[in-house]
Amino acid sequence: MKSQANIKIVCENRKARHDYFIHEAYEAGIELKGTEVKSLRAGRSNLKDSYGEVKNGEVFVQHWHISPYDHGSNYFNHDPLRPRKLLLHKTEIIKLFSKTREKGFTLVPLKIYFKSGRAKMEIALASGKHTYDKRQDLAAKAAKRDVEREMKDRSYKS
């Protein structure tokens, strides 16, 4: 098993696991400009409201906000919300294209991280949850927490 020591997480989309059922997750490289990489290393990124789409055999992330680099001149800075290309294998792109054409499936970015000095994105094939699904998840989480609390109390009493 590979070590996780060389991975630095920049940002996570925690809301995605709450709002969507995650079916499959993929690791993708990201095509970025120089000042975007510097902003990412500084942790100036936001995945809220971002999504992926497949166009012309390529995968793009829309509405992913990377703040302009503070120490760069205005000439070299980038548009914070520009579409960014993801680097995936052709078989993965074809699979994602066919799945996203089905009703209810979408591409959701889960997290951005640096792995061995390279910017990577974990993107998932997901389907939306209804409110009753969210309530069931919260109830299951609360029940699990109660059971763990009881087990902890029993271990102290014996």
Side-chain angles (χ1 to χ4, degrees), residues 69-104:
Y69 186 58
D70 291 337
H71 304 293
S73 66
N74 291 337
Y75 178 74
F76 292 111
N77 271 337
H78 56 277
D79 178 25
L81 290 173
R82 77 175 184 90
R84 291 168 179 93
K85 184 177 174 182
L86 295 182
L87 309 173
L88 290 161
H89 292 283
K90 184 169 250 175
T91 55
E92 293 173 336
I93 294 172
I94 292 169
K95 186 175 183 180
L96 289 175
F97 178 75
S98 63
K99 283 289 192 178
T100 54
R101 294 296 169 245
E102 293 178 19
K103 186 175 185 205

Side-chain angles (χ1 to χ4, degrees), residues 22 31 37 71 84 109 121 150:
I22 306 299
E31 189 177 278
V37 176
H71 304 293
R84 291 168 179 93
M121 175 183 278
E150 287 295 322

Side-chain angles (χ1 to χ4, degrees), residues 33-149:
K33 295 185 178 182
T35 55
E36 291 175 330
V37 176
K38 291 178 180 184
S39 288
L40 277 182
R41 288 196 187 278
R44 312 254 343 256
S45 176
N46 186 1
L47 284 173
K48 186 179 177 183
D49 298 332
S50 61
Y51 61 94
E53 66 179 356
V54 182
K55 283 189 201 172
N56 301 328
E58 297 177 335
V59 181
F60 292 93
V61 176
Q62 305 289 338
H63 298 285
W64 171 27
H65 188 275
I66 299 178
S67 298
Y69 186 58
D70 291 337
H71 304 293
S73 66
N74 291 337
Y75 178 74
F76 292 111
N77 271 337
H78 56 277
D79 178 25
L81 290 173
R82 77 175 184 90
R84 291 168 179 93
K85 184 177 174 182
L86 295 182
L87 309 173
L88 290 161
H89 292 283
K90 184 169 250 175
T91 55
E92 293 173 336
I93 294 172
I94 292 169
K95 186 175 183 180
L96 289 175
F97 178 75
S98 63
K99 283 289 192 178
T100 54
R101 294 296 169 245
E102 293 178 19
K103 186 175 185 205
F105 283 101
T106 186
L107 292 175
V108 178
L110 297 178
K111 66 181 170 183
I112 308 295
Y113 54 94
F114 282 96
K115 183 177 180 182
S116 302
R118 308 252 185 213
K120 303 282 184 180
M121 175 183 278
E122 185 175 344
I123 193 160
L125 187 64
S127 58
K129 284 186 184 179
H130 296 288
T131 53
Y132 55 83
D133 293 327
K134 294 176 190 178
R135 277 184 257 143
Q136 288 173 352
D137 285 348
L138 289 174
K141 192 185 294 186
K144 182 180 175 186
R145 193 169 44 241
D146 291 341
V147 168
E148 288 176 354
R149 189 179 301 126

